[in-house]
Amino acid sequence: MNQANPVRTDLAHLRTEARNPRTLHIDTLPTPDMVLLMCEENRVVEDAVAAQADAIAAAIDIIAARLDAGGHLIYVGAGTSGRLGVVDASECPP
C-alpha cells in the first residue's frame, strides 16, 4: 500500500499494468506486420479468457441469480473499462 495515499494500491506487479515487450516497437513495423502482431496479441487474450471459461461461467450464474433476487451489479472502472461498464450496464435491468 502506498503510504502517501493509503487507498491507492501498488499495481506495478500486475502483468496487465506492464508494457508488453512483444509490442514495444510496434510503431516501427510495416503496416502488414503491425496488423499481424495485433492479431497475434488478440489471440493471447482469447486463449487466456478461454482458459478461465468455467470460472467466468460460474461468475455469470452467480451475478444473474443475484440480479434475479433483486441484487445489484456494481461496476468500478476508469478509461476503457469504465466506458465498457456503462455499455454493459445499459443491458442490465435498472
Side-chain angles (χ1 to χ4, degrees), residues 3-82:
Q3 296 302 322
N5 183 351
V7 176
R8 185 181 172 108
T9 302
D10 181 16
L11 303 177
H13 67 283
L14 298 175
R15 285 181 57 198
T16 56
E17 304 307 311
R19 300 220 27 212
N20 183 342
R22 294 180 303 273
T23 60
L24 287 177
H25 303 292
I26 194 169
D27 58 319
T28 65
L29 295 175
T31 304
D33 294 342
M34 183 187 305
V35 171
L36 288 175
L37 179 57
M38 290 185 334
C39 290
E40 290 169 8
E41 291 304 304
N42 283 338
R43 276 192 289 281
V44 171
V45 174
E46 291 170 5
D47 291 345
V49 171
Q52 297 300 315
D54 290 342
I56 293 168
I60 291 168
D61 289 342
I62 290 167
I63 293 166
R66 300 258 170 99
L67 286 172
D68 285 345
H72 298 87
L73 176 61
I74 300 171
Y75 277 92
V76 177
T80 299
S81 60

Side-chain angles (χ1 to χ4, degrees), residues 80-92:
T80 299
S81 60
R83 288 191 298 274
L84 292 175
V86 170
V87 172
D88 286 349
S90 70
E91 299 293 328
C92 296

